[in-house]
Amino acid sequence: MTDLGTAPDLVLAYDLGTGGCKASLWTPAATMLAETVVPYPTSHPAPGRNEQRPDDWWDAVAASTRHLLERSPGARARIAGVALSGQSLGAVQVDERGELVAPTTPIWSDTRGRPDAVFGDIPEAEWYRRTGNGFGAALYPLTKAAAFRAEDAVAWARTRHLVGSKDWINLRLTGELATDHSMASGSGAYDLATGDYDDELLAAAELPRDVFPRIVPSSARVGSLTRGAAEALGLPSGIPVFAGAVDNAAMALGSRGTAEGRIYAALGSSSWITVTSAQPVIDEHARPYVFAHAIPGMFVSALSTFSSGTSLEWLRATLAPGAGTADFIGLAADSAAGARGVSFVPTLAGGTPLEGGSGARGGFTGLHLGAGPADLVRACLEGIAFSLDRSLALMRELSGSREPLLITGGGSRSPLWNGIYADILRSPLQRSTVDQQAATLGAATIALVGLGLWDDYARADAAHAGLDEIAPTSPESYAGARDRFDAAVSALGSLTPTQENPS
């Protein structure tokens, strides 16, 4: 327990993720003092339907705040501002009074959207060029609105606004409705070139312009903590609440993505390579997905491996359900580079256009009677690394970035796996102590800039003290494995029933 009675002014930062709400306290010295996580569930009422209850988000925000305050005596009176990072592609339906229209809302991975109802006169490729929305079109609020209209006309008639995750929380905190450019850029209706909603896209979707919230900078003050919200959180009323950012932008901001060409790999349940640049990285073949950055005038562009940590978890649950993740990864040390001829393609949750599209499925190839659990684990770790290597090579080519690659997230904790990454990516890697706090650091940065305590978003880089470098040791030992992986991707991609573009 930390006594903060003499601490400098603090900011309260939240990461409203898919699995739960992480709350943390940060100082103007870019130091995190305390954090806590409160989980919430996801329901799956039908294939392709993935829903959460916004009220669960609110309960998690309130509970995590109270937990932080209990652990940090003196913090309550020292909090100067609040900001959130929020999961992307949200479409919370609210009525004229800001009340929920339905108790549940689709999250980013919900595929109920109706692109066919939008892309008539506007070709889908043109939509991508304007918006940079490189995920499947059915995931975006613009097309989810068509599904809402078709499936429940009564609820749709009551719907006044479609609101992103952190913006709905901000509405509960302040009574004010707004969004920032980063969250708006995931609406499906945001033109990257103009920095505003696109009237032609809205008209094609038969949506009024104000169905999405007004757009303000990430560091703009949306409002102040109301008395009711303050009582729920255990805080004084009147604390400034800032617009915040979508998770992709907040994580980039907290992963040294504060300057042109900065690049990082987030290694988690899914993984991605993200570059920060003054121009969006658009490519119709590979379909990088783009969000406006929390930093004005900048963009974050990324390519993903949709099932990285989840592939490893699937394999652990299948081979050794009682083993801890670290011990399970350690089995790979009993194999060798190339996993004795076994390859793994980690498209268990579908692939990118480079891997056969969203209908692609993964698998092992090169199995033989001598292959054991250590080889399967090693092949899984290598396959995830090879998949990210494709994304890294292409993002460097498209963006021109030659900056060192920072790695963050749970997948960066294993020295064994880090060595595999360095050899397969053929690049020195940087690992930071910020690790899984990147999104909350990004949110904290937004609050500190909004308060005027920081005059530059780059001040967030100070949190990355003592970057560790992981150098390749034997990249040449993976030459044969690389060829086998590429062949396996092609072979499995050819088995995809429909070579669909995930957009």
Side-chain angles (χ1 to χ4, degrees):
M1 184 177 291
T2 304
D3 187 345
L4 301 173
T6 59
D9 287 343
L10 308 175
V11 293
L12 179 56
Y14 300 94
D15 174 20
L16 198 69
T18 303
C21 175
K22 180 183 294 182
S24 59
L25 291 170
W26 292 81
T27 76
T31 301
M32 187 187 72
L33 297 179
E35 72 169 345
T36 190
V37 179
V38 174
Y40 37 71
T42 301
S43 61
H44 310 280
R49 300 293 177 108
N50 306 307
E51 300 177 350
Q52 290 180 351
R53 298 177 71 253
D55 283 339
D56 287 342
W57 302 342
W58 176 252
D59 291 343
V61 167
S64 62
T65 306
R66 289 183 173 278
H67 189 199
L68 274 185
L69 297 179
E70 289 170 2
R71 294 173 53 196
S72 307
R76 181 179 184 276
R78 305 294 301 185
I79 295 172
V82 174
L84 280 89
S85 160
Q87 53 178 287
S88 63
L89 314 191
V92 181
Q93 296 173 261
V94 299
D95 64 17
E96 189 72 42
R97 298 182 302 165
E99 301 292 333
L100 288 173
V101 170
T104 62
T105 188
I107 62 172
W108 76 272
S109 56
D110 189 288
T111 59
R112 74 184 63 189
R114 294 277 304 276
D116 58 300
V118 179
F119 302 131
D121 295 333
I122 300 176
E124 187 273 344
E126 172 62 22
W127 170 75
Y128 170 70
R129 286 192 293 270
R130 290 189 202 181
T131 65
N133 292 161
F135 291 122
L139 302 178
Y140 288 89
L142 185 74
T143 68
K144 285 174 178 171
F148 293 153
R149 182 190 297 119
E151 295 175 2
D152 191 337
V154 174
W156 181 249
R158 291 180 52 215
T159 300
R160 185 69 177 83
H161 300 289
L162 297 178
V163 182
S165 58
K166 55 92 179 172
D167 301 323
W168 185 81
I169 293 294
N170 283 347
L171 177 63
R172 288 289 304 264
L173 292 173
T174 68
E176 300 293 334
L177 181 60
T179 191
D180 77 299
H181 287 273
S182 69
M183 184 66 82
S185 65
S187 66
Y190 181 93
D191 189 323
L192 294 172
T194 65
D196 200 356
Y197 299 121
D198 187 301
D199 288 324
E200 187 178 9
L201 292 174
L202 289 168
E206 300 180 13
L207 294 174
R209 183 174 179 82
D210 60 355
V211 71
F212 295 116
R214 64 188 174 93
I215 306 172
V216 300
S218 290
S219 59
R221 179 172 175 167
V222 172
S224 301
L225 205 60
T226 66
R227 182 179 299 176
E231 289 177 355
L233 273 60
L235 291 171
S237 61
I239 295 174
V241 177
F242 299 93
V246 76
D247 52 6
N248 305 78
M251 287 190 68
L253 185 55
S255 300
R256 301 185 72 248
T258 58
E260 179 71 34
R262 292 276 181 86
I263 191 165
Y264 81 96
L267 310 175
S269 297
S270 59
S271 299
W272 53 90
I273 302 287
T274 301
V275 66
T276 296
S277 58
Q279 296 297 323
V281 178
I282 302 292
D283 181 78
E284 291 184 40
H285 173 59
R287 294 295 180 101
Y289 56 89
V290 183
F291 288 89
H293 206 320
I295 302 174
M298 302 295 281
F299 300 89
V300 290
S301 308
L303 284 172
S304 287
T305 295
F306 300 134
S307 185
S308 51
T310 50
S311 291
L312 182 66
E313 176 57 25
W314 165 81
L315 187 63
R316 185 198 63 80
T318 302
L319 293 183
T325 299
D327 291 338
F328 186 67
I329 289 174
L331 293 176
D334 293 330
S335 185
R340 295 204 300 156
V342 180
S343 297
F344 175 73
V345 178
T347 47
L348 303 190
T352 68
L354 299 177
E355 299 162 329
S358 59
R361 291 296 177 263
F364 287 97
T365 63
L367 291 171
H368 52 87
L369 293 175
D375 303 311
L376 300 184
V377 176
R378 181 96 188 194
C380 182
L381 301 180
E382 292 178 359
I384 294 167
F386 279 126
S387 181
L388 280 172
D389 182 54
R390 287 183 158 209
S391 297
L392 176 62
L394 190 53
M395 290 306 293
R396 287 201 186 279
E397 177 186 343
L398 293 172
S399 69
S401 172
R402 294 296 177 267
E403 291 281 329
L405 181 69
L406 180 77
I407 57 172
T408 66
S412 67
R413 292 179 172 180
S414 165
L416 174 61
W417 203 355
N418 286 342
I420 291 172
Y421 275 122
D423 281 342
I424 288 178
L425 271 55
R426 296 164 291 190
S427 170
L429 308 178
Q430 292 182 336
R431 187 177 183 276
S432 166
T433 53
V434 170
D435 197 26
Q436 298 190 79
Q437 291 79 40
T440 53
L441 172 57
T445 300
I446 289 166
L448 289 163
V449 170
L451 288 164
L453 296 175
W454 285 1
D455 58 2
D456 190 341
Y457 288 93
R459 294 278 295 275
D461 292 354
H464 297 270
L467 288 171
D468 294 329
E469 182 167 291
I470 303 155
T473 57
S474 56
E476 68 284 348
S477 63
Y478 287 94
R482 187 181 305 276
D483 291 340
R484 291 193 298 273
F485 176 81
D486 290 342
V489 169
S490 297
L492 289 172
S494 69
L495 298 176
T496 303
T498 300
Q499 290 296 303
E500 58 184 342
N501 187 309
S503 297

